[in-house]
Amino acid sequence: MRSKNATYSTIKDAVLKHLYSNPTKTFNPKQLASNLRLNVGNGRIFIQQALNELRKEESINAIGNHRYRLNYKGDRYDAIFIARANGRHTAKAVENDEIFLIDNRDTRNALNGDRVRIEVLPKTFSHSNNRAAQVVEILERAQGNYVGVLQKPLGAKVGFVIPEGNKIQNDIFIPYKYTNDAKDGDMVLVRVMEWRQEDKNPVGEIIDVLGRPEDNDTQMHAILAEFGLPYKYPEELEQLANELPEGLSEKEHSTREDLRHLTTFTIDPIDAKDFDDAISYERLENGNVSVGVHIADVSFYVKPGDPIDIEAQKRATSIYLVDRTIPMLPERLCNDLCSLKPNVDRPAYSVIFELNDKAEVVNYNIVKSIIHSDARLTYEQAYEIIKGKGDPAEEVRQSIIHLSEIAQKIRSKRFEAGAINFERQEIKFILDDQGKPTDVYTKESNEAHQLIEEFMLLANRTIAQHVTKKHLKGHPKRAFIYRIHDLPNEAKLQDLSKFMMKLKYVLKLDGNKEHISKALNEMLVAFRGKPEQNMLETIVLRTMSKAIYTTDNIGHYGLGFPFYTHFTSPIRRYPDVLVHRYLWAYEHEQELDSPGILESQARHCSDQEQLASQAERASIKLKQVEYMSDKIGERFEGMIISVTDFGFFVEIKSNGCEGLVPIHSLTDDFYVYDEKNFCLIGRQYGRVFKLGDSVEIEVDRVNFERKQIDFILC
């Protein structure tokens, strides 16, 4: 280091780094100046200033007469390494889930998902409350693959893959024999074979060629591959499904409840092809009504252990990208045999409710059935009917109107009982024939969505309650899969309360969980309809625990249900298939897999659900980038939805697209991140950028590789 070019901050970093490298040794200022070649100019003065400040920060200790040593603790943990292409790596301790910051120089070439041993470093100033650590050993390499573009000039014997996403910074070296006939510029899927400590780049092999980067299919396959999700369905399984016979045998007819006489219909998105659920309605002579929730009987076609079942279990869920569905089951099952299409007989698993005029369930029955849907309605059509418009068959129209009234009563009671009332907006795109977005808009829930939602919730809750209460009445306890949602972490709630207070919203945390649920709902109502609603609901959601599948029931906090499962979507969710099987087995005194095996399946389904959600969000980001790519230089009104030490994110009010205003683009002042108040503050002029502020931005550039939009302030 040359003293004439060194600044105080770089000297402080150099001192600390030198002490890191010699954690058990002591140094005086003169020795440090010599070791760092800072014996001239202001070097030694700066070193003493750095030592004084590092001592105040408790990064170093004073030992004897003007000697200093690293404040070294040496705590070690096994952790999972989480890589970021911007160098902001972290590691999550296996023992207690603590998150540690890992500097780019301290990774020891760890890759995303690796199991590593980390060593805690001394306390340093940071924009985060997380402790810093360094990787000291790689215990187990993750089996992750990476997506990127191959660079292989004509005639070259080797190539490099330039990775996309945020999981790895370094290009991946590809020896000639591992290029898999990929051409220069192809987007590929690559597996890292090794990355020695002394090598700058990892060595990998190309395991699949995805296509040309400019192709929409290639981009969608790349998103799926990035998260380790399938983007092809095995042809042999499609063929197996095509060979399945249609219709039910006479014997199967005789074992099922014939419900084809009921007025029955489906309500789904306009582009849906797989209809999991149907609703029936009937007035009873005693003045009550009968409402049937009929669910596709996937388990009739998909048997435990058969090839289609094994593939479905592995996938665990269908994946809904912006422009396509990656199904859990073969197309013939999803869109035909299992789908509750109109005007055809279909096998179903039905829950028939008897409800009084207060929308209270006075009786229910769970049966395997045969149904016949009379109509396939979209949410838009159903909403028109609820609002007194539209012209379907009279029986269907009257059924929908009355069912909507019942659903609203059930919904009101659910929130009164403590369910948390989120109303999230959903981003939707209009695409052209090439998959390019021509428009983007936000979609909100209405009474038609709520009609289906409430009866699906009722069916799911009833099934879980039915199985559990049988256990409580003296039947032997048997394994079952529940959908649970734990209470929010108390510390996170306290942080949320403090954060909301800064935005002039009150969250009272006194009392039991019901009181806290009520307080959350009151706060959600307080900012409903305001411009910042979507942003604040997102922040509240991040405070909540994640819902998961498990055999250990603790209830569902967000819904306010002591018993809850997933029964209503077996075409697209494997847990629902398991619930159907276990419910049927227990009704007929049969045993299935052990609790341990079912718990393992539940964990796998939870993990796959999270990956699918990440892929779905990535596809939305990609389409947002595509949509904004021809709007460089255009101006929009936006709102600040997140503030970091490297800038702030803005959501465009008219279309929901998000982008970053980098801190380096704010040239009118030197801005400092105030973590406690979630804002950037100009050091000289005091200008503040905080959450919820309205700003006018200009689209500066888009980055397809990072799926990122950059804005500048107008």
Side-chain angles (χ1 to χ4, degrees):
M1 178 180 290
R2 303 290 183 185
S3 62
K4 65 179 181 180
N5 295 324
T7 65
Y8 170 69
S9 61
T10 59
I11 290 175
K12 180 183 171 185
D13 287 344
V15 170
L16 194 56
K17 184 177 180 180
H18 188 70
L19 293 173
Y20 278 166
S21 303
N22 302 274
T24 60
K25 294 182 179 180
T26 62
F27 299 89
N28 61 34
K30 184 177 180 181
Q31 289 170 320
L32 288 169
S34 176
N35 292 344
L36 297 173
R37 292 185 293 171
L38 291 167
N39 281 313
V40 296
N42 293 324
R44 290 177 66 174
I45 296 173
F46 281 169
I47 281 180
Q48 187 60 61
Q49 290 176 349
L51 290 169
N52 293 339
E53 191 168 334
L54 289 168
R55 186 181 176 188
K56 289 179 182 178
E57 295 171 13
E58 300 180 4
S59 296
I60 64 174
N61 293 325
I63 308 295
N65 187 25
H66 297 295
R67 299 187 70 82
Y68 301 89
R69 185 173 66 189
L70 196 68
N71 185 10
Y72 178 70
K73 297 180 180 179
D75 294 337
R76 292 192 173 196
Y77 298 91
D78 287 2
I80 303 300
F81 184 73
I82 304 165
R84 295 285 183 271
N86 59 12
R88 299 171 182 273
H89 312 299
T90 58
K92 184 177 182 180
V94 175
E95 176 185 324
N96 57 14
D97 289 343
E98 183 177 356
I99 302 295
F100 295 88
L101 305 178
I102 309 291
D103 189 89
N104 206 41
R105 64 191 175 193
D106 296 326
T107 66
R108 292 187 69 86
N109 290 349
L111 292 166
N112 188 66
D114 285 354
R115 189 182 180 98
V116 298
R117 183 155 293 139
I118 60 172
E119 189 170 69
V120 180
L121 294 172
K123 178 182 177 184
T124 57
F125 272 144
S126 169
H127 293 305
S128 170
N129 292 322
N130 301 99
R131 292 192 285 172
Q134 61 183 355
V135 176
V136 294
E137 185 180 358
I138 296 171
L139 303 175
E140 183 181 353
R141 284 289 190 190
Q143 297 300 310
N145 298 324
Y146 299 90
V147 172
V149 175
L150 177 66
Q151 288 189 351
K152 189 181 73 168
L154 187 65
K157 295 296 184 183
V158 298
F160 283 89
V161 169
I162 315 301
E164 289 200 338
N166 62 359
K167 295 179 180 178
I168 186 170
Q169 286 181 294
N170 302 63
D171 298 344
I172 303 170
F173 175 71
I174 311 292
Y176 180 75
K177 63 180 179 178
Y178 295 125
T179 56
N180 198 12
D181 295 326
K183 299 179 178 60
D184 181 54
D186 280 348
M187 185 167 280
V188 297
L189 182 63
V190 60
R191 180 180 71 85
V192 171
M193 297 188 294
E194 66 172 347
W195 193 1
R196 297 179 302 180
Q197 184 64 32
E198 62 270 23
D199 291 339
K200 180 181 179 182
N201 299 90
V203 178
E205 64 170 338
I206 293 172
I207 58 178
D208 199 6
V209 180
L210 301 176
R212 303 304 292 180
E214 62 272 13
D215 184 71
N216 181 65
D217 285 344
T218 300
Q219 289 292 340
M220 289 299 161
H221 291 168
I223 286 172
L224 294 163
E226 180 184 352
F227 294 101
L229 296 168
Y231 46 91
K232 302 174 184 175
Y233 207 93
E235 291 183 10
E236 62 272 19
L237 298 186
E238 293 280 10
Q239 184 58 38
L240 275 179
N242 290 337
E243 294 169 2
L244 290 171
E246 186 160 4
L248 303 177
S249 66
E250 290 286 336
K251 182 179 178 182
E252 185 65 29
H253 264 276
S254 66
T255 64
R256 292 175 176 268
E257 189 89 13
D258 192 341
L259 303 177
R260 290 176 291 180
H261 63 285
L262 297 175
T263 300
T264 305
F265 51 88
T266 60
I267 304 176
D268 289 279
I270 193 169
D271 55 352
K273 296 177 182 177
D274 53 342
F275 308 136
D276 277 292
D277 55 87
I279 301 284
S280 67
Y281 175 84
E282 183 181 28
R283 282 193 174 275
L284 302 176
E285 291 181 0
N286 63 3
N288 291 340
V289 297
S290 172
V291 178
V293 177
H294 311 285
I295 306 303
D297 191 0
V298 171
S299 60
F300 172 71
Y301 293 102
V302 181
K303 304 300 182 184
D306 73 19
I308 292 175
D309 179 59
I310 291 170
E311 182 68 18
Q313 181 178 344
K314 182 170 68 174
R315 291 175 178 240
T317 182
S318 293
I319 306 160
Y320 295 90
L321 304 185
V322 168
D323 69 336
R324 70 195 63 202
T325 298
I326 312 301
M328 183 182 78
L329 298 172
E331 183 177 346
R332 184 157 186 254
L333 286 174
C334 288
N335 298 346
D336 186 8
L337 294 184
C338 294
S339 185
L340 305 182
K341 301 191 298 183
N343 305 317
V344 292
D345 295 348
R346 285 289 181 259
Y349 217 154
S350 301
V351 188
I352 313 298
F353 297 100
E354 181 181 347
L355 299 105
N356 61 23
D357 59 0
K358 296 179 181 178
E360 297 168 335
V361 176
V362 297
N363 197 10
Y364 69 87
N365 194 23
I366 303 169
V367 295
K368 291 265 190 169
S369 63
I370 302 171
I371 70 162
H372 186 98
S373 175
D374 300 297
R376 176 269 199 267
L377 292 139
T378 66
Y379 282 115
E380 291 77 11
Q381 290 171 325
Y383 185 62
E384 288 289 297
I385 293 168
I386 292 168
K387 292 302 179 184
K389 302 175 183 178
D391 188 27
E394 179 63 22
E395 286 187 5
V396 172
R397 188 179 72 83
Q398 291 296 335
S399 298
I400 289 174
I401 290 171
H402 198 188
L403 284 169
S404 180
E405 294 170 356
I406 296 170
Q408 290 303 315
K409 291 179 182 178
I410 296 173
R411 185 177 178 83
S412 295
K413 286 190 284 188
R414 184 162 63 85
F415 293 133
E416 288 171 7
I420 300 173
N421 188 5
F422 287 106
E423 290 189 1
R424 298 281 295 135
Q425 293 179 339
E426 188 178 357
I427 293 177
K428 291 288 187 180
F429 296 86
I430 297 174
L431 307 175
D432 64 17
D433 293 340
Q434 284 72 47
K436 183 176 176 61
T438 59
D439 198 7
V440 57
Y441 60 97
T442 56
K443 187 176 181 180
E444 297 181 1
S445 172
N446 59 39
E447 285 96 325
H449 298 91
Q450 293 161 10
L451 186 162
I452 295 300
E453 179 184 17
E454 292 305 324
F455 284 111
M456 296 307 114
L457 291 174
L458 180 61
N460 288 332
R461 176 179 57 170
T462 300
I463 294 296
Q465 184 173 295
H466 176 80
V467 171
T468 308
K469 286 197 171 180
K470 274 206 164 187
H471 299 164
L472 300 177
K473 289 181 179 179
H475 291 256
K477 184 174 182 180
R478 289 159 167 166
F480 197 64
I481 190 166
Y482 296 93
R483 179 71 167 178
I484 69 158
H485 184 228
D486 205 351
L487 276 68
N489 177 277
E490 186 175 345
K492 285 186 176 181
L493 278 176
Q494 292 290 346
D495 289 342
L496 177 65
S497 179
K498 293 174 185 175
F499 169 77
M500 288 297 177
M501 193 174 295
K502 295 178 188 298
L503 299 178
K504 312 302 182 187
Y505 292 104
V506 177
L507 175 60
K508 299 176 183 177
L509 298 178
D510 301 328
N512 57 25
K513 64 178 183 179
E514 286 79 16
H515 290 127
I516 293 173
S517 296
K518 184 179 179 182
L520 281 166
N521 276 334
E522 288 174 351
M523 186 178 67
L524 290 168
V525 169
F527 51 68
R528 187 151 298 149
K530 297 184 178 180
E532 65 267 27
Q533 175 185 339
N534 201 48
M535 175 198 72
L536 294 178
E537 285 200 350
T538 300
I539 292 168
V540 176
L541 272 172
R542 288 173 182 165
T543 304
M544 301 289 106
S545 303
K546 283 185 171 64
I548 61 169
Y549 298 105
T550 181
T551 57
D552 182 19
N553 181 48
I554 61 169
H556 197 294
Y557 176 74
L559 294 173
F561 296 157
F563 310 105
Y564 192 66
T565 191
H566 272 170
F567 168 80
T568 54
S569 295
I571 292 177
R572 63 183 180 88
R573 293 188 305 224
Y574 195 74
D576 303 55
V577 178
L578 293 173
V579 165
H580 283 215
R581 288 178 183 163
Y582 278 76
L583 177 63
W584 175 255
Y586 293 160
E587 289 296 309
H588 294 79
E589 302 299 325
Q590 299 172 1
E591 292 293 336
L592 288 173
D593 290 329
S594 68
I597 292 175
L598 186 58
E599 178 62 27
S600 177
Q601 290 176 318
R603 284 198 300 268
H604 172 70
C605 290
S606 297
D607 292 342
Q608 290 299 105
E609 178 188 36
Q610 290 300 313
L611 289 173
S613 294
Q614 292 174 44
E616 289 161 13
R617 288 194 295 270
S619 77
I620 290 171
K621 286 184 178 179
L622 174 64
K623 292 303 175 187
Q624 287 180 331
V625 168
E626 287 183 5
Y627 179 70
M628 300 301 292
S629 64
D630 60 359
K631 295 172 177 57
I632 306 297
E634 292 188 26
R635 296 186 173 193
F636 296 90
E637 287 294 322
M639 182 175 63
I640 297 176
I641 59 171
S642 178
V643 183
T644 73
D645 59 334
F646 54 87
F648 53 84
F649 289 90
V650 174
E651 179 183 282
I652 295 175
K653 294 179 180 179
S654 60
N655 58 35
C657 292
E658 299 175 9
L660 173 69
V661 176
I663 196 168
H664 63 72
S665 71
L666 304 174
T667 56
D668 62 321
D669 202 344
F670 181 82
Y671 285 87
V672 178
Y673 177 51
D674 182 347
E675 183 183 13
K676 291 183 178 179
N677 294 298
F678 311 99
C679 63
L680 292 177
I681 302 174
R683 181 174 288 175
Q684 184 172 357
Y685 301 111
R687 187 178 182 184
V688 176
F689 294 103
K690 65 181 186 299
L691 280 173
D693 281 354
S694 291
V695 291
E696 186 179 5
I697 54 86
E698 179 182 307
V699 182
D700 184 38
R701 61 178 180 170
V702 298
N703 186 319
F704 282 91
E705 289 74 25
R706 303 287 182 216
K707 301 180 183 67
Q708 181 174 305
I709 306 167
D710 280 355
F711 298 144
I712 54 175
L713 282 182
C714 296

